[in-house]
Amino acid sequence: MGGVSEADGDVFKALADPTRRKILDELAERGGQTLFEICSRLAMKHQLGSSRQAISQHLEVLINSGLVTSRREGRYKFHDIDTGPLERLTDRWRSSTAHEIKEN
């Protein structure tokens, strides 16, 4: 089994921050949100008073890690969660565990 790849490291880095985990929670609950909607929901539900710029920077980390995708429609940019990177991480360990169980 190989070590942690750079892409995996980006996922772990993205998940290490509590604000980014709250953003992911919000996108899991309701996808296709704009930056304004995410900021509003974080303020109302989690009492997070982060600036739009700060949330935008968190979104950029999440996008770079592959955990969030964005699409532009006219003037608006919509964000969605992408669990693919998490599935790839857990597949690595699940397949390893399944292999070990078969050997025993």
Side-chain angles (χ1 to χ4, degrees), residues 18-27 33 35-51 54-56 58-59:
T19 299
R20 289 194 284 267
R21 290 193 304 268
K22 287 182 174 90
I23 292 170
L24 290 173
D25 289 342
E26 289 304 319
L27 291 175
Q33 294 187 60
L35 175 61
F36 177 79
E37 290 171 311
I38 293 167
C39 290
S40 297
R41 290 172 65 97
L42 290 172
M44 290 174 51
K45 289 178 67 179
H46 303 284
Q47 291 73 47
L48 278 180
S50 299
S51 69
I55 299 302
S56 179
H58 284 301
L59 278 169

Side-chain angles (χ1 to χ4, degrees), residues 8-98:
D8 293 345
D10 289 346
V11 172
F12 287 119
K13 175 185 169 194
L15 293 173
D17 184 89
T19 299
R20 289 194 284 267
R21 290 193 304 268
K22 287 182 174 90
I23 292 170
L24 290 173
D25 289 342
E26 289 304 319
L27 291 175
E29 188 175 305
R30 188 172 146 271
Q33 294 187 60
T34 64
L35 175 61
F36 177 79
E37 290 171 311
I38 293 167
C39 290
S40 297
R41 290 172 65 97
L42 290 172
M44 290 174 51
K45 289 178 67 179
H46 303 284
Q47 291 73 47
L48 278 180
S50 299
S51 69
R52 286 174 55 131
Q53 181 180 3
I55 299 302
S56 179
Q57 290 171 343
H58 284 301
L59 278 169
E60 200 58 37
V61 171
L62 291 166
I63 290 167
N64 290 339
S65 73
L67 291 168
V68 170
T69 60
S70 64
R71 68 186 187 286
R72 188 168 290 283
E73 292 180 19
R75 295 177 33 211
Y76 299 99
K77 189 173 183 182
F78 297 93
H79 301 87
D80 292 283
I81 190 169
D82 182 351
T83 58
L86 294 173
E87 292 165 9
R88 284 188 293 279
L89 281 174
T90 59
D91 284 349
R92 178 174 77 192
W93 290 306
R94 283 188 301 209
S95 62
S96 174
T97 304

